[in-house]
Amino acid sequence: MKKIVVLLFLLFSTTVMAQNPNPSWTTLRETSIAVANGSTNYPYDIFTNGAGNHIIVQEPTALKYYKMDIYGTTIINLNPPLESTAVTSPSISGDLTKLYVVYRKGTENKIRAKYSSNGGVNWSYIVPDLNTSGAPSSIECVFSKGYLHVTFIVGTTVYFNYYYTNLSTPSWLTQ
């Protein structure tokens, strides 16, 4: 009988707690990060992990990176930006400890990638670049189990490639 009473108490307390949402989920947070200039909207991408909310914004002459906390406060406004020239189709992903950004720079027929292993404070290039058969667009990435998976379009064909980070010499693997 005691077990049933304890079980009913746990069930009741769990139900009551579920009906009282955390107040931080009910309030929208506004940041100082601009993703538009007048009537021009800039492409952006967002990734969140335990280190914070990571935002990249593609402006006409730069790729900017920002990190903010759960309260909407900008912790990092990287200066200089990730790239100081025009880029196309940036995407960001990562895991608990690393961040990855992929994009096409200018009119190049390749995809560049950068990574950070310290929460977005410092960034390094992944070498070599991923060479493509034409100008890649609609670039998307996701990082999972040691692989940076990248999909992109050249012309009307969708391609997939991945970068294996756990090798002694990390490299892009076959499309």
Side-chain angles (χ1 to χ4, degrees):
M1 185 67 171
K2 286 183 181 180
K3 289 181 182 179
I4 292 174
V5 171
V6 170
L7 183 61
L8 288 173
F9 174 75
L10 288 174
L11 181 62
F12 175 75
S13 62
T14 303
T15 304
V16 169
M17 290 172 63
Q19 293 175 355
N20 295 321
N22 182 340
S24 65
W25 283 100
T26 61
T27 306
L28 290 176
R29 305 287 184 185
E30 187 172 323
T31 74
S32 60
I33 299 170
V35 293
N37 182 8
S39 62
T40 303
N41 292 327
Y42 300 140
Y44 60 90
D45 199 14
I46 300 170
F47 173 75
T48 299
N49 65 8
N53 302 299
H54 308 275
I55 300 111
I56 54 172
V57 180
Q58 175 192 334
E59 293 187 359
T61 59
L63 176 59
K64 294 191 175 180
Y65 167 79
Y66 303 90
K67 180 168 118 179
M68 68 179 194
D69 63 17
I70 60 171
Y71 303 106
T73 304
T74 302
I75 301 169
I76 295 175
N77 179 354
L78 198 61
N79 195 11
L82 282 177
E83 285 292 344
S84 298
T85 59
V87 303
T88 301
S89 198
S91 181
I92 187 169
S93 187
D95 63 8
L96 294 174
T97 60
K98 292 184 181 163
L99 297 169
Y100 294 89
V101 173
V102 296
Y103 55 91
R104 183 182 92 207
K105 185 175 174 181
T107 59
E108 298 176 333
N109 288 345
K110 58 185 169 184
I111 294 174
R112 293 182 182 254
K114 284 190 170 183
Y115 73 95
S116 174
S117 56
N118 60 2
V121 176
N122 300 100
W123 292 84
S124 300
Y125 277 107
I126 287 178
V127 177
D129 296 327
L130 174 57
N131 291 314
T132 60
S133 59
S137 64
S138 300
I139 303 166
E140 291 291 335
C141 72
V142 65
F143 185 75
S144 177
K145 298 180 182 177
Y147 292 91
L148 177 62
H149 302 268
V150 179
T151 58
F152 56 96
I153 296 175
V154 174
T156 59
T157 304
V158 176
Y159 292 91
F160 164 78
N161 208 312
Y162 53 96
Y163 185 83
Y164 190 47
T165 61
N166 293 336
L167 295 172
S168 59
T169 305
S171 63
W172 290 102
L173 302 174
T174 306
Q175 292 181 16

